[in-house]
Amino acid sequence: MPLTTTHDVTVLLIEDEAEIRRFLRTTLPPYGYRLYEATTGAEGLAQATSRNPDIILIDLGLPDMDGTEVIRQIRGWGTIPILVLSARDQEQVKVAALDLGADDYVTKPFGVDELLARMRAASRHAARAASDGVESTYTFGDLRVDLGRRQVFVSGKEVHLTPIEYKMFATLVRYAGKVVTHRQLLKEVWGPLHVDEAHYLRVYMRQLRNKVEANPAQPRHLVTELGVGYRLRTE
């Protein structure tokens, strides 16, 4: 039995592939999602403004324009969570979509459970961003983070992080559930002059995992998105 949401969440699917539309048309409603469909980028942009959906699912290979252009235009006026659904799995394509403002990237073919988890994570991130400054304490499984007091707890025990470790971890917390690209993480933690210093991330991510993960070799919270960046898993 599907676990439904507490209220209908409106989803705009911008996708020209009939099989994917038919699949999601059957799959999403039992979970509390109300689905609207567009088959072109132009139609998707029109529905994004007229329907004001709670979340957008978009393919990159649209018949009239590239999906990245749709993302760019939507990000010009709105912060609606955007998940890319695409058969393109090249790292540079993923990075480009994420840097333009997509919240996550799901490669076709995908499983229902994975898609639903990514949708929930993107919605939670949007809710946190909307209430920025109101809530400062977050819990992710055995992790508790108090951004106001700059404290991190694992299983109730406070963990000491260095200033750089904390800044990196706090950035991932603020974007929890969303993929943060290498470039974005480097810019926010070290500044715009260090966006090409990817080796910084490997060193500090290893240190962070040693402090907050029960098994650093198989991280539960700090997940690597290969070739793209990192994500703080919220499930």
Side-chain angles (χ1 to χ4, degrees):
M1 178 68 68
L3 295 175
T4 60
T5 56
T6 55
H7 64 284
D8 278 352
V9 176
T10 57
V11 178
L12 173 59
L13 172 63
I14 308 175
E15 167 68 76
D16 66 328
E17 190 175 339
E19 289 184 3
I20 296 293
R21 295 201 312 275
R22 186 162 52 247
F23 172 68
L24 294 179
R25 195 183 301 148
T26 303
T27 301
L28 293 182
Y31 290 89
Y33 294 101
R34 179 181 300 166
L35 186 66
Y36 297 103
E37 301 173 28
T39 57
T40 66
E43 184 185 357
L45 287 168
Q47 290 206 43
T49 55
S50 64
R51 298 193 184 279
N52 191 26
D54 295 302
I55 191 166
I56 293 174
L57 306 178
I58 183 170
D59 183 23
L60 295 182
L62 299 170
D64 58 337
M65 66 178 76
D66 196 274
T68 54
E69 174 60 19
V70 179
I71 295 170
R72 188 190 67 79
Q73 292 194 38
I74 292 173
R75 280 294 172 259
W77 54 264
T79 59
I80 303 166
I82 299 175
L83 266 69
V84 173
L85 308 178
S86 181
R88 304 179 190 175
D89 60 358
Q90 300 96 327
E91 292 172 3
Q92 63 268 30
V93 174
K94 294 181 181 181
V95 171
L98 293 165
D99 280 344
L100 280 169
D103 291 85
D104 209 344
Y105 194 111
V106 181
T107 304
K108 297 176 182 175
F110 51 83
V112 175
D113 290 342
E114 178 190 9
L115 176 63
L116 292 173
R118 300 288 185 108
M119 290 172 66
R120 291 193 298 268
S123 296
R124 282 195 296 270
H125 176 259
R128 278 195 298 271
S131 62
D132 189 31
V134 177
E135 184 181 6
S136 64
T137 303
Y138 305 99
T139 301
F140 311 99
D142 59 345
L143 289 182
R144 183 166 64 86
V145 185
D146 188 331
L147 295 180
R149 297 186 176 184
R150 299 174 65 89
Q151 292 178 305
V152 178
F153 299 86
V154 178
S155 299
K157 182 179 180 179
E158 186 172 2
V159 175
H160 173 72
L161 301 181
T162 68
I164 289 292
E165 289 170 353
Y166 177 80
K167 194 171 184 180
M168 184 172 169
F169 189 59
T171 300
L172 292 168
V173 168
R174 288 199 305 273
Y175 294 99
K178 177 177 177 177
V179 179
V180 183
T181 64
H182 296 139
R183 191 177 185 86
Q184 181 182 358
L185 198 51
L186 285 162
K187 183 177 180 180
E188 294 207 20
V189 177
W190 283 275
L193 298 180
H194 299 277
V195 293
D196 296 319
E197 307 291 344
H199 61 282
Y200 289 3
L201 297 178
R202 292 191 292 272
V203 171
Y204 281 95
M205 180 56 68
R206 182 168 60 250
Q207 294 175 187
L208 268 178
R209 284 173 172 160
N210 284 334
K211 291 183 177 182
V212 305
E213 296 282 6
N215 183 356
Q218 295 182 319
R220 172 187 175 191
H221 303 290
L222 300 173
V223 180
T224 299
E225 298 285 349
L226 287 176
V228 179
Y230 298 98
R231 175 167 54 93
L232 177 60
R233 183 182 287 155
T234 60
E235 294 297 312

